[in-house]
Amino acid sequence: MFKYYLTLGLRNLRRNPVLTLLMVMAIAFGVASSMTTYTVFRAVSGDPIPWKSSKLFFPQIDVWGPTSRRGGTEPADAFTYTDVVALMRDHRAAKQSAVYPVGPTLYPADASKKAQTMSGEAVHNEFFPMLDVPFLYGSGWSKSEDDQRARVVVISKSLNQRVFGGVNSVGREIRLDNTNYRVIGVIGDWDPQPKFYVASIGYVFGSGDDVFIPFTTAIDQKLATSGAFGCSAKLAEPGFAGTLASSCIWISYLVELDSPAAVTAYRDYLNDYAGSQQSSGRFGWAPNNRLRDLREFLSYERIVSSETKLSIMVAISLLIVCMVNTVGLLLAKFLRRSNEIGVRRALGANRFHIAYQFGMESAAIGLAGGALGLILTWIGVNLMDGLLSPQIARLVHIDIPLLLQTLILAIVTTVIAGLYPTWRATHLRPSMQLKQG
């Protein structure tokens, strides 16, 4: 029966090629606009570590008080150096790390080559196991090396290829600024987008980090942050020492909490810590903390711009308009065949058979619209490369799941659009149509 009605549906579509083409184009343009926009949205809003995002949390402590709260209630989204040191010392999470972006200059061993500014992060040793960072060679450093402010570095696979030709470089040295660092590990293929670990203080879309150095070492070397730096008051003293002693926020902080009980305990700890700061006179306000998991924090930081969300709504609206147009075209097409429907009903076809036939015609139109929509989506995605920033454009791509989603959306959309015309066709009175015919 399936093959028969499919053949019959395709034959009927060929009877009026202009009307069929209009419906196919309407579905194709609607689907292509939606999927092109969705591709961009997917690139900038995906979960960068889906298997663990529910266990990664970003604490927030109100270090500036009521006059500087976002929206009147929200505390600062980054940390002062003073608070980071205290939280790291207390170590109330399963794993934890402070993070801040650095941009040291790499001086090649070959003096004829130009120095390059590196993109990097200053982190603690638990950063790597907490984020399941894969290693090609070696590993991260230990807590003792954190404590000793060791001159060690973890480098990316791409930097290892450029400097050492891709071989195992563990134990060798690179020169960053005026200091030699011993390579302790080489990261494998790891480039989370967005770079969630600096969501509050850095640019989350862009090329991956090339170097990771111990947080304590970066402080010892007085490496300034290359990320966001916010202050509520002037520094009491100039220079890096003034930055460390100030109330300026410039450090990201994330923790791993393995259970709801651990989340509750850590939230209580943050309240106790903020309460102790109030009691000591450092804070002149009651505790006002937050503890958001990764997805909540990315949403809070508005990683996905309002313009991208608006474009999704516009694309969906366009798809709905195309569906409405397709409903009208299908209705006109089906009702024009009222005489045929009357004859088939008189010869014994019931409403199910009529609905089956017209449903197959709708699905065939959807399949053709999906095929054309795939081509238009490919064109749209390639056009986006010239409209988006290079950092985001490199994340926008077409893959097998997207192709399947485009075809399924086209077929489902057309079948839904054909429901009302099919219902109208199945409720035509055959006696009236035979008399008119």
Side-chain angles (χ1 to χ4, degrees):
M1 180 182 289
F2 174 83
K3 183 178 180 181
Y4 168 73
Y5 279 117
L6 178 60
T7 303
L8 185 61
L10 293 175
R11 185 185 304 156
N12 287 325
L13 291 177
R14 289 197 295 267
R15 288 181 181 177
N16 194 333
V18 175
L19 189 58
T20 300
L21 180 60
L22 287 174
M23 289 186 288
V24 169
M25 291 181 63
I27 291 298
F29 278 108
V31 168
S33 64
S34 299
M35 296 310 294
T36 299
T37 309
Y38 168 72
T39 304
V40 178
F41 181 81
R42 180 186 63 171
V44 300
S45 64
D47 189 337
I49 183 170
W51 63 93
K52 206 171 186 179
S53 57
S54 62
K55 295 182 179 181
L56 297 178
F57 290 80
F58 289 79
Q60 293 172 251
I61 294 176
D62 192 356
V63 297
W64 286 350
T67 59
S68 300
R69 291 173 182 167
R70 177 169 145 181
T73 59
E74 292 293 337
D77 56 0
F79 277 78
T80 67
Y81 177 74
T82 299
D83 294 314
V84 160
V85 170
L87 267 60
M88 286 299 302
R89 180 187 63 241
D90 292 345
H91 204 291
R92 297 300 182 88
K95 297 182 183 72
Q96 59 189 30
S97 178
V99 185
Y100 79 90
V102 293
T105 300
L106 172 68
Y107 291 95
D110 185 351
S112 64
K113 295 183 179 180
K114 293 183 178 180
Q116 293 180 312
T117 300
M118 295 288 100
S119 172
E121 309 291 341
V123 301
H124 285 90
N125 69 296
E126 291 181 347
F127 175 89
F128 304 104
M130 179 167 58
L131 302 190
D132 294 340
V133 179
F135 278 85
L136 184 63
Y137 304 115
S139 64
W141 54 84
S142 64
K143 184 180 184 303
S144 63
E145 287 169 311
D146 261 336
D147 296 337
Q148 295 166 8
R149 297 175 171 81
R151 307 296 190 262
V152 294
V153 64
V154 168
I155 64 175
S156 68
K157 179 181 178 180
S158 62
L159 181 60
N160 187 63
Q161 180 66 42
R162 297 197 303 270
V163 177
F164 300 109
V167 301
N168 186 348
S169 58
V170 172
R172 301 177 69 173
E173 291 188 344
I174 61 173
R175 187 168 184 80
L176 299 175
D177 291 338
N178 297 316
T179 304
N180 289 332
Y181 290 82
R182 175 172 54 89
V183 176
I184 197 171
V186 178
I187 291 176
D189 295 320
W190 188 72
D191 183 18
Q193 296 290 331
K195 293 199 296 186
F196 58 93
Y197 45 88
V198 289
S200 62
I201 57 172
Y203 190 65
V204 295
F205 296 108
S207 57
D209 292 305
D210 284 319
V211 295
F212 296 83
I213 62 178
F215 182 92
T216 51
T217 304
I219 296 298
D220 190 54
Q221 293 293 304
K222 300 180 180 180
L223 290 182
T225 179
S226 60
F229 188 89
C231 296
S232 61
K234 291 183 178 181
L235 300 184
E237 57 180 296
F240 197 71
T243 297
L244 300 185
S246 72
S247 62
C248 298
I249 55 173
W250 49 285
I251 304 172
S252 178
Y253 192 78
L254 64 159
V255 300
E256 179 181 337
L257 303 172
D258 296 328
S259 67
V263 174
T264 300
Y266 199 84
R267 187 172 280 116
D268 291 340
Y269 160 69
L270 289 177
N271 289 332
D272 290 342
Y273 173 78
S276 69
Q277 299 303 302
Q278 181 186 15
S279 300
S280 68
R282 179 171 171 237
F283 293 168
W285 47 86
N288 178 40
N289 308 317
R290 300 290 185 274
L291 185 62
R292 293 180 166 95
D293 67 26
L294 172 57
R295 293 191 66 86
E296 292 172 338
F297 192 69
L298 291 179
S299 176
Y300 171 74
E301 291 294 332
R302 300 170 184 168
I303 299 303
V304 182
S305 67
S306 57
E307 291 82 2
T308 303
K309 294 179 180 178
L310 179 61
S311 65
I312 280 284
M313 297 177 62
V314 171
I316 292 174
S317 300
L318 179 59
L319 179 61
I320 293 173
V321 170
C322 292
M323 282 182 63
V324 172
N325 288 334
T326 304
V327 169
L329 293 171
L330 285 173
L331 186 62
K333 183 177 180 63
F334 291 170
L335 294 185
R336 285 178 61 183
R337 292 157 56 190
S338 56
N339 291 340
E340 174 192 334
I341 297 170
V343 171
R344 291 201 62 207
R345 292 291 304 277
L347 292 176
N350 57 32
R351 289 177 174 174
F352 172 77
H353 294 129
I354 302 299
Y356 200 157
Q357 175 187 341
F358 289 161
M360 290 301 297
E361 290 186 29
S362 299
I365 293 171
L367 184 60
L372 180 58
L374 288 176
I375 298 173
L376 296 177
T377 299
W378 180 82
I379 294 173
V381 169
N382 281 277
L383 288 175
M384 284 293 179
D385 287 345
L387 300 176
L388 300 171
S389 64
Q391 294 85 353
I392 296 179
R394 74 186 186 93
L395 304 177
V396 179
H397 63 278
I398 294 178
D399 50 24
I400 297 300
L402 181 69
L403 297 179
L404 294 176
Q405 290 168 5
T406 302
L407 283 175
I408 292 172
L409 178 62
I411 294 172
V412 171
T413 297
T414 313
V415 170
I416 292 175
L419 290 178
Y420 176 68
T422 299
W423 180 85
R424 284 287 304 274
T426 58
H427 284 75
L428 291 174
R429 295 174 59 185
S431 59
M432 294 296 296
Q433 301 308 318
L434 290 173
K435 288 179 180 179
Q436 293 176 3

